[in-house]
């Protein structure tokens, strides 16, 4: 059963959402994830190493420091970033972009509409994250981990 489009949103349920870029975790969620994981592991490691209980306070102090450092590093490297890069000549720019992505070890996985997904091959794909590229008239939108976006911006200058 299909729904009739309404005036506020002309898309029908049959339309793919293929022209929309995915969004990933932002800075807050990334920090919380890395902080909590590292804090827990640091507290357990400290308690085991120094032979003290978790309630003594020492593991908690180390956990706060370890969690904060890990959270900040996680935000710096792994938060999802969206950036728009303008160009003047589309074909040369896209060739340069494809080359830069390939040099990073990524290859085109699939394209839906104007959005292309690049992935690493084999086991490294599970740790590296994807790079999403949406082509527009005078620019491209990139969505990936902050470290990937920084590398691409450097290679495209």
């Amino acid at each position: 059963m299909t729904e009739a489009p309404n005036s506020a949103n002309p898309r029908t349920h049959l339309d793919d959402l293929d022209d929309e870029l995915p969004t990933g975790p932002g800075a807050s969620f990334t920090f919380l994830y890395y902080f909590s994981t590292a804090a827990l592991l640091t507290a357990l490691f400290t308690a085991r190493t120094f032979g003290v209980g978790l309630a003594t306070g020492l593991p908690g102090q180390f956990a706060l420091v370890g969690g904060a450092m890990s959270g900040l590093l996680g935000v710096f490297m792994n938060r999802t970033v969206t950036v728009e890069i303008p160009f003047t000549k589309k074909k040369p720019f896209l060739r340069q972009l494809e080359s830069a992505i390939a040099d990073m070890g990524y290859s085109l996985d699939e394209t839906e509409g104007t959005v292309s997904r690049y992935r690493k091959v084999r086991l490294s794909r599970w740790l590296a994250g994807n790079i999403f590229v949406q082509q527009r008239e005078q620019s491209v939108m990139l969505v990936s981990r902050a470290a990937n976006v920084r590398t691409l911006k450097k290679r495209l200058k």
Side-chain angles (χ1 to χ4, degrees):
M1 182 172 147
T2 61
E3 296 176 12
N6 63 31
S7 60
N9 185 1
R11 287 185 181 263
T12 66
H13 125 282
L14 297 175
D15 290 329
D16 288 331
L17 298 176
D18 57 359
D19 287 337
E20 293 185 21
L21 286 167
T23 58
S28 299
F29 181 80
T30 302
F31 179 84
L32 182 62
Y33 172 78
Y34 281 93
F35 175 84
S36 59
T37 303
L40 177 65
L41 293 174
T42 303
L44 294 174
F45 179 77
T46 303
R48 177 86 171 152
T49 301
F50 292 114
V52 296
L54 291 173
T56 61
L58 183 64
Q61 292 173 355
F62 277 100
L64 285 175
V65 172
M69 289 181 358
S70 180
L72 291 173
L73 183 63
V75 166
F76 180 72
M77 298 297 288
N78 287 332
R79 76 182 183 282
T80 301
V81 176
T82 302
V83 66
E84 183 173 13
I85 301 176
F87 55 80
T88 53
K89 296 181 182 177
K90 188 173 188 172
K91 286 187 180 186
F93 177 81
L94 292 177
R95 279 195 300 270
Q96 183 183 11
L97 177 63
E98 291 274 337
S99 175
I101 290 173
D103 289 346
M104 292 172 59
Y106 286 82
S107 61
L108 181 63
D109 182 52
E110 69 177 311
T111 299
E112 293 183 20
T114 60
V115 178
S116 299
R117 179 175 67 182
Y118 294 85
R119 300 174 98 180
K120 286 203 173 195
V121 294
R122 296 187 187 85
L123 293 176
S124 63
R125 83 171 16 157
W126 301 106
L127 300 173
N130 298 321
I131 298 174
F132 295 93
V133 177
Q134 182 182 46
Q135 295 181 27
R136 297 186 171 181
E137 289 297 319
Q138 295 296 316
S139 64
V140 294
M141 293 290 290
L142 299 173
V143 176
S144 188
R145 292 181 174 183
N148 290 341
V149 171
R150 275 193 299 276
T151 300
L152 281 172
K153 284 174 72 174
K154 285 180 188 174
R155 292 181 181 202
L156 293 174
K157 292 204 179 215

